Amino acid sequence: MTFAIHGLPVARGIAVGRAVLVGSSRVEVAHYFIKPEQIPAEIDRVRVGRNAVVDELQRLQHAMPKDAPPELTALLDVHLMLLEDETLTTGVKHWITDRLYNAEWALITQLEIIARQFDEMEDEYLRERKADLEQVVERILRYMKGVGSPIAVPPHNTAVERRKSGAHQMSPDESLTVPLVLIAHDLSPADMLHFKQSVFAGFVTDVGGKTSHTAIVARSMDIPAVVGARSASQLVRQDDWVIIDGDAGVVVIDPSPIILAEYGFKQRQGELERERLTRLRHTPAITLDGHKVELLANIEMPEDAAGAVTAGAVGVGLFRSEFLFMGRKGSLPDEEEQYQAYRRAVEGMQGMPVTIRTVDIGADKPLDKGHKEDTHLNPALGLRAIRWSLADPAMFLTQLRAILRAAVHGQVNLLVPMLAHGSEIRQTLALLDFARAELDNRGVVYGPLRLGAMIEIPAAALTLPLFLKYFDFLSVGTNDLIQYTLAIDRADESVAHLYDPLHPAVLRLLADTIRACQAQGKGVSVCGEMAGDVAMTRLLLGLGLRSFSMHPAQILAVKQEVLRADTARLGPWAQRVLEAEDPVQAMAEPLTARPDGEPCRVDSGLGPLATH
Ligand code: PEP
Ligand code: MG
């Protein structure tokens, strides 16, 4: 039966595929496709892992002292019984043989299926056996990890490419070529990163806000995604057919042929639009009235630089360096590793500027799952970003030295997140001087840096002269500025309806920051999600913004808006929006004529397009 679940749209486009349910504790398991000739070896890996666990448990059983608590013996019996269960082994074989899943993936897929059956049991005792099953599977996985996979993970094989392209193939006979979509209760930003090169054509999570970091990484992968879909992971079953509408935030389960045909049409329309936009790649981003606009990329890893160049970015406006620090079980990257990573990003941008933001760990970006920030009562208000860096000067100095060294290879801007206090600014700058002195002492070369501060806390937006005194440029992090101005946790879907980029207070802080920078001839950009939202482009241009940093995937759509814009008309309109009680309504009102009475010419480089 067809039904739909509504969530928050985070990454545009339509994906159609079979559901792969992944529990959040198991997402680190590798997901890749094997070749048909590798099926026996892969089945054997599971068998060897399973047998090893059986041996281990039997040894424990025999070594059990006579006076051992009966619960313990019963527990071992249950674990052994679960290991003998045909449902587990037959299911695993099915996923490996019929779907060409690698062994670990097959194992956790079957685990999810059986776990659900346990969830549905009336008997509480039996329901609780799910935890035992999970433990047994974890044990097998551990053994398999020790044994290792004989198959290298193919970063991109043709099957993967076919699936990622969302090629919509519905015939069950062609099950090996159908796209797969991932459904999970929650995924951390590090988990998402793990899936960046993966086989999935789309994502759905139960939790998360539109600008949560999980959503941001999903958007950077440029595949359709919906977050905050509440009970999706409960309602969708393994292998169900699912449509993800990343534009509307809708997930359709078990779609009827007529719905499939409709979404298939929408999918093709989307692809055509994207193709059309690629023609703008080399077109300079200049408004109708001749204002040059800088369209920069937000990246998470050095390797993303290539995609930024392809998308036509003229630099990186935000390199979220914390992604180098996450999911490493507490071991942080040393100076050399960081230097190499920053250098790769700089070289990858082929002479264009790269803005490296110092580490922004904390809140919804813990170093590792279960790390103490996770359980902090108010992580967004806690030891996060620059506060975290200043609390660990040795770690911060390591990062600063690495960035200084990378600046030898191209134009590097240093961006500091979440500053609010003058003392934080002064400490940061003192540590930067110290890092330079350390490099001097070691005789290591380093390059010049332009210094920037992120405006993410209302306190910063209200004390701009202080920031302008010390920094060469400011970058508005609207994701956090909205969160902190409106007291809305950006990762909490239950208050997502109150997360409002057009709230008059947010617009006022944004407009003041742009104006203050311009008045002093300092650079200003927006690097929050607002910058990549085409619905906001005209407003930001009207407020005077000329530098936007966003996911590479958004650049061409925003460029199209820029090419159609006439700032002489947008300026007065944006002022009216700024002063309106209801900015949404004010934005819907038509633009007035140009002050000079000239008609507005439209020349987008793409042929006839609508005028505003
Ligand atoms: C922001 O807050 O707008 C921003 C760009 O930083 P992040 O999303 O990484 O917090
Ligand atoms: Mg931020």
Side-chain angles (χ1 to χ4, degrees), residues 213 357 360 384 454 456 477 479-480 490:
H213 285 92
R357 179 176 68 182
D360 183 4
R384 193 194 147 183
M454 288 194 76
E456 302 190 277
N479 305 337
D480 278 317
R490 61 193 264 195

Side-chain angles (χ1 to χ4, degrees), residues 43-334:
I43 292 178
D44 212 44
R45 282 207 311 125
V46 187
R47 191 186 53 77
V48 170
R50 178 196 156 279
N51 290 350
V53 178
V54 170
D55 281 357
E56 187 196 2
L57 294 180
Q58 282 173 344
R59 268 202 314 278
L60 277 173
Q61 227 173 15
H62 292 136
M64 192 78 74
K66 291 256 172 313
D67 56 351
E71 299 84 24
L72 206 56
T73 358
L75 188 73
L76 288 180
D77 288 343
V78 169
H79 280 202
L80 280 165
M81 205 179 70
L82 290 168
L83 282 164
E84 303 296 345
D85 190 355
E86 283 286 300
T87 332
L88 186 64
T89 36
T90 321
V92 169
K93 272 189 199 149
H94 158 71
W95 297 113
I96 296 178
T97 313
D98 300 344
R99 291 292 169 79
L100 297 182
Y101 288 8
N102 64 300
E104 289 85 353
W105 183 7
L107 199 54
I108 57 157
T109 303
Q110 193 56 21
L111 165 65
E112 294 290 342
I113 290 177
I114 308 176
R116 247 170 213 232
Q117 292 167 0
F118 276 112
D119 280 341
E120 282 160 14
M121 283 174 183
E122 295 275 314
D123 186 302
E124 196 185 332
Y125 172 80
L126 288 177
R127 239 186 0 254
E128 283 169 6
R129 299 293 59 81
K130 177 176 132 176
D132 295 306
L133 176 73
E134 287 172 341
Q135 283 174 16
V136 161
V137 170
E138 293 293 342
R139 276 186 126 93
I140 303 179
L141 285 170
R142 265 206 306 278
Y143 266 100
M144 285 167 61
K145 205 170 176 184
V147 173
S149 169
I151 302 152
V153 178
H156 276 102
N157 63 21
T158 44
V160 172
E161 282 304 333
R162 272 205 305 279
R163 278 159 222 253
K164 281 185 84 170
S165 74
H168 174 203
Q169 317 220 359
M170 295 292 291
S171 154
D173 300 338
E174 294 169 312
S175 60
L176 291 180
T177 55
V178 297
L180 301 174
V181 297
L182 186 114
I183 317 277
H185 174 66
D186 190 12
L187 292 169
S188 72
D191 291 334
M192 288 303 284
L193 213 56
H194 175 80
F195 282 121
K196 216 161 176 168
Q197 288 294 314
S198 80
V199 297
F200 297 108
F203 288 86
V204 179
T205 59
D206 294 347
V207 299
K210 221 171 157 173
T211 61
S212 64
H213 285 92
T214 302
I216 287 174
V217 181
R219 209 167 290 136
S220 77
M221 292 162 73
D222 196 22
I223 55 175
V226 172
V227 298
R230 304 287 168 102
S231 45
S233 72
Q234 297 298 315
L235 297 173
V236 181
R237 284 163 314 173
Q238 196 78 254
D239 229 26
D240 272 348
W241 277 103
V242 170
I243 296 172
I244 301 176
D245 182 342
D247 297 305
V250 175
V251 186
V252 185
I253 296 106
D254 201 9
S256 63
I258 191 152
I259 294 179
L260 269 173
E262 194 179 319
Y263 275 99
F265 176 73
K266 272 192 183 175
Q267 203 177 20
R268 282 189 296 280
Q269 293 288 99
E271 277 159 18
L272 283 176
E273 171 64 10
R274 281 179 189 225
E275 239 174 75
R276 199 176 70 89
L277 283 177
T278 55
R279 285 189 266 146
L280 291 182
R281 223 195 105 197
H282 300 292
T283 309
I286 299 177
T287 63
L288 288 174
D289 53 338
H291 289 279
K292 207 163 169 233
V293 177
E294 188 178 47
L295 300 181
L296 304 160
N298 289 356
I299 64 169
E300 277 88 38
M301 289 304 230
E303 292 65 39
D304 298 338
V309 173
T310 311
V314 296
V316 167
L318 174 66
F319 176 178
R320 289 185 163 97
S321 70
E322 56 275 11
F323 282 88
L324 299 172
F325 289 64
M326 281 156 42
R328 305 167 58 106
K329 309 216 173 350
S331 88
L332 302 183
D334 63 16

Side-chain angles (χ1 to χ4, degrees), residues 210-211 219 476-488 490 495-511 514 526 528-537 539-540 543 577-578 580-584 587:
K210 221 171 157 173
T211 61
R219 209 167 290 136
V476 188
T478 47
N479 305 337
D480 278 317
L481 189 61
I482 298 166
Q483 153 163 276
Y484 295 124
T485 304
L486 302 180
I488 299 297
R490 61 193 264 195
V495 284
H497 59 293
L498 297 172
Y499 187 92
D500 181 10
L502 293 175
H503 189 289
V506 173
L507 293 182
R508 169 62 53 204
L509 295 175
L510 186 54
I514 296 170
V526 169
E529 297 300 291
M530 247 178 123
D533 182 349
V534 287
M536 299 290 160
T537 312
L539 180 61
L540 294 173
L543 293 177
V577 174
L578 195 58
E581 184 180 320
D582 183 351
V584 178
M587 273 179 81

